[in-house]
Amino acid sequence: MEKLFSKQKYADRRRVLMSKISGGIIFLPGNHRSPMNYKSNVYRFRQDSNFLYFFGLDSEGLAGIIDVDSGEEIIFGPVFTMDDLIWTGPLEKIEDRAEKAGIKKTLPTGNLKDYLQKASHEKRKVHYLPPYRGERTIWLSELLDKTVSEIENGFSQDLISAVCSLRIVKDDDEIQEIESTLENITRLQHIMAMKNCRRGIKESYIVGIVEGFGFQYDCMLAFPVICSVHGEILHNESHDNTLKDGQLMILDTGNESPMHYATDITRTTPVSGKFTRMQAEIYNLVLEMMNSAFKLMKPGISYSDVHKKASETLAKGLTDIGLMQGNPEEIVASGAHALFFPHGLGHQMGLDVHDMEDLGEDNIGYDNEHKRSTQFGTAFLRFGRKLEKGMILTVEPGIYFIPALIDLWKSEKKYESFINYSALNNYMNFGGIRIEDDVLITDTGNRILGKPIPKTIAEVEETFKR
Ligand code: GLY
Ligand code: MN
């Protein structure tokens, strides 16, 4: 069965949540199983992160209720039949499991509709979060007697803000959960990938090593593995290519800890085991972008400013190399640098790899003080707010040479004063480089989580050697 934190921690989280909602009922449904191709052939179960955060129980068909006015807390759960016992073995009683999360009252899931209908008839507000799975939307629509579109639009903004304010900062137990998975699983996966990277094998071979190692320790993936010699395709999920000398292999992969906290690390390895001069130049610039971010990251600094600094480091470096020209601040203000770095520097990480994105990216990453940019590239920054102690973020700068985008901008003569298009002709087959670490904001600065994973050119080339 599931691994839980102390029952006091869950009770404290719910108490704070309650204090932030002025009245009514907080309804936090868990997930159901999702079929792959027919009803009883299902994907591996993944509990809802908000349900996990407040109740910790990691199985299907549960729902949590917190009555803000009376303080009553209830877990609704399935009543097991002999068939369940025959097919799935003995199951711990829901009362005993709920007790571990500090909840004394349980009721059959079959009673949930009556409970919620009674609350609606009494004109009490039922606060729920935006559903992200079709099954959930339909379930809520049946339970609350509303149309699908009413359910999709009727979520509680107050509950979003309250949940976000709690989950956005991680405590020591959560940090430990992430860090131990990073050290014991994700770090080793990257080292194994570097050691196995060689010409003639397929990307899928590396993916198999990575996934298999995680599964040996019952750590599911935090997101589908990105492993590609076409690093310029940012979220390339196909693994068909055969590795060739001269190419660069990007591996962007992360696991879920036993309690479902995510890790997310990227490294780039040369297939030949040695970076060419041209590759080394770009690789070191990505590292410089990363280090310029680490220098800034501390409580009180906006992550949008950290993104800007990393972008200026990129612009400066590319002018030194001869691919851009002009003043780095002006280049970044214009948006020209996004030809090479068309994504955000990083995102929040916690129970989700993009933490709480189900609650709406702008609700989590932006606030009254920080509005999302509308400029191409910077608009993809998922998190722009001020950093606070206890936040965990990824820092994942990259430099990419995307032939279709270069051709388009060139044909439109876009940012011609800043971009040296003729010098780019030599880079059309370059691919891309991304390097990513997971970082904790501390009292005075930041700390990269986990034992170091080979990152400098010397470290990557040394790890590659067998
Ligand atoms: N590592 C995948 C992502 O950050 O989107
Ligand atoms: Mn990431």
Side-chain angles (χ1 to χ4, degrees):
M1 235 338 116
E2 65 268 326
K3 178 181 163 201
L4 285 103
F5 293 127
S6 72
K7 70 169 88 168
Q8 192 59 47
K9 190 191 289 290
Y10 295 104
D12 288 346
R13 287 172 173 178
R14 293 191 302 267
R15 186 178 40 74
V16 178
L17 181 68
M18 251 189 273
S19 74
K20 290 172 182 278
I21 300 291
S22 59
I25 285 175
I26 300 171
F27 173 35
L28 292 163
N31 274 337
H32 288 89
R33 289 188 180 264
S34 284
M36 287 198 288
N37 46 351
Y38 55 93
K39 208 169 168 208
S40 61
N41 197 26
V42 291
Y43 290 106
R44 185 173 168 149
F45 177 70
R46 174 53 157 85
Q47 184 57 288
D48 176 83
S49 298
N50 297 301
F51 186 86
L52 278 176
Y53 187 82
F54 292 104
F55 303 104
L57 305 178
D58 192 7
S59 62
E60 63 187 304
L62 305 172
I65 287 282
I66 303 170
D67 184 327
V68 179
D69 305 311
S70 70
E72 185 177 55
E73 300 176 319
I74 311 171
I75 290 288
F76 286 82
V79 178
F80 301 121
T81 63
M82 183 52 75
D83 281 3
D84 292 321
L85 198 136
I86 292 166
W87 288 93
T88 47
L91 294 158
E92 199 179 359
K93 284 202 291 206
I94 188 69
E95 302 91 285
D96 297 338
R97 290 176 63 208
E99 169 60 26
K100 291 182 200 157
I103 305 265
K104 298 203 167 36
K105 181 165 177 180
T106 60
L107 285 172
T109 308
N111 294 16
L112 185 54
K113 181 162 182 163
D114 284 349
Y115 182 94
L116 291 169
Q117 295 286 314
K118 182 166 172 282
S120 298
H121 289 142
E122 290 167 358
K123 304 260 175 286
R124 303 185 64 204
K125 179 154 174 71
V126 178
H127 299 265
Y128 63 87
L129 297 168
Y132 52 88
R133 286 192 188 182
E135 294 100 320
R136 156 90 51 96
T137 308
I138 293 168
W139 192 37
L140 295 195
S141 131
E142 282 169 2
L143 289 172
L144 296 169
D145 217 4
K146 291 194 189 307
T147 64
V148 162
S149 96
E150 281 168 341
I151 288 297
E152 279 172 345
N153 298 309
F155 56 83
S156 163
Q157 199 64 43
D158 289 348
L159 186 56
I160 289 179
S161 306
V163 169
C164 173
S165 69
L166 273 149
R167 282 183 56 188
I168 202 156
V169 164
K170 277 70 188 173
D171 68 20
D172 289 349
D173 290 339
E174 295 177 290
I175 296 164
Q176 157 68 22
E177 184 72 13
I178 292 174
E179 191 152 31
S180 66
T181 300
L182 198 45
E183 287 191 358
N184 297 326
I185 310 291
T186 317
R187 174 174 176 271
L188 299 179
Q189 283 168 322
H190 276 280
I191 292 173
M192 280 188 268
M194 280 175 201
K195 288 192 185 300
N196 282 277
C197 172
R198 75 190 75 170
R199 70 166 178 267
I201 61 160
K202 277 190 134 190
E203 293 157 346
S204 53
Y205 183 83
I206 300 288
V207 175
I209 290 172
V210 166
E211 291 197 11
F213 185 71
F215 286 132
Q216 283 175 32
Y217 295 92
D218 211 21
C219 286
M220 55 199 277
L221 295 172
F223 57 93
V225 176
I226 298 163
C227 175
S228 184
V229 289
H230 283 290
E232 79 281 8
I233 304 172
L234 301 184
H235 275 185
N236 193 348
E237 285 180 17
S238 88
H239 306 130
D240 284 346
N241 295 304
T242 299
L243 275 49
K244 296 194 191 86
D245 278 345
Q247 291 178 319
L248 294 166
M249 181 189 78
I250 278 193
L251 175 66
D252 181 347
T253 192
N255 300 96
E256 288 201 352
S257 74
M259 299 179 87
H260 301 287
Y261 282 85
T263 65
D264 183 7
I265 298 286
T266 306
R267 290 293 184 266
T268 304
T269 308
V271 174
S272 70
K274 259 206 109 44
F275 289 90
T276 64
R277 193 195 51 77
M278 192 193 244
Q279 289 168 343
E281 207 167 37
I282 299 295
Y283 189 94
N284 281 330
L285 181 51
V286 179
L287 268 187
E288 237 185 276
M289 291 166 74
M290 190 172 217
N291 290 330
S292 70
F294 293 150
K295 270 199 205 130
L296 279 191
M297 289 171 71
K298 63 175 182 189
I301 300 281
S302 304
Y303 202 55
S304 52
D305 286 341
V306 182
H307 174 91
K308 183 159 161 268
K309 182 69 192 173
S311 303
E312 287 169 1
T313 307
L314 163 80
K316 163 86 173 65
L318 290 183
T319 55
D320 293 346
I321 293 171
L323 295 179
M324 300 195 95
Q325 60 246 336
N327 171 295
E329 279 99 34
E330 281 173 28
I331 290 175
V332 171
S334 77
H337 67 290
L339 177 63
F340 307 99
F341 179 38
H343 63 75
L345 184 64
H347 50 85
Q348 284 267 330
M349 211 184 68
L351 275 165
D352 310 298
V353 64
H354 292 178
D355 209 24
M356 297 178 279
E357 227 167 73
D358 60 315
L359 307 183
E361 249 180 81
D362 283 359
N363 288 321
I364 306 310
Y366 291 88
D367 55 20
N368 291 337
E369 221 183 307
H370 305 85
K371 293 286 167 229
R372 186 188 284 267
S373 163
T374 53
Q375 189 181 68
F376 172 76
T378 310
F380 295 126
L381 179 64
R382 297 187 144 93
F383 188 86
R385 280 164 63 159
K386 277 206 176 118
L387 301 177
E388 290 170 43
K389 182 187 171 199
M391 284 182 171
I392 294 180
L393 293 114
T394 67
V395 177
E396 49 182 308
I399 300 181
Y400 312 91
F401 297 89
I402 306 167
L405 188 62
I406 295 171
D407 286 343
L408 177 72
W409 282 26
K410 188 176 174 185
S411 72
E412 292 172 345
K413 303 188 187 313
K414 216 166 165 172
Y415 304 118
E416 258 188 340
S417 60
F418 293 133
I419 299 167
N420 185 353
Y421 286 107
S422 59
L424 276 175
N425 289 336
N426 296 331
Y427 287 79
M428 294 306 251
N429 292 319
F430 186 100
I433 291 174
R434 180 164 64 252
I435 310 172
E436 176 177 25
D437 277 327
D438 301 337
V439 176
L440 171 71
I441 306 301
T442 60
D443 269 324
T444 53
N446 65 80
R447 175 168 81 76
I448 301 174
L449 290 175
K451 285 193 203 120
I453 303 171
K455 191 160 71 173
T456 63
I457 285 186
E459 287 163 358
V460 172
E461 291 184 348
E462 187 55 37
T463 307
F464 183 97
K465 275 188 203 161
R466 285 165 279 260

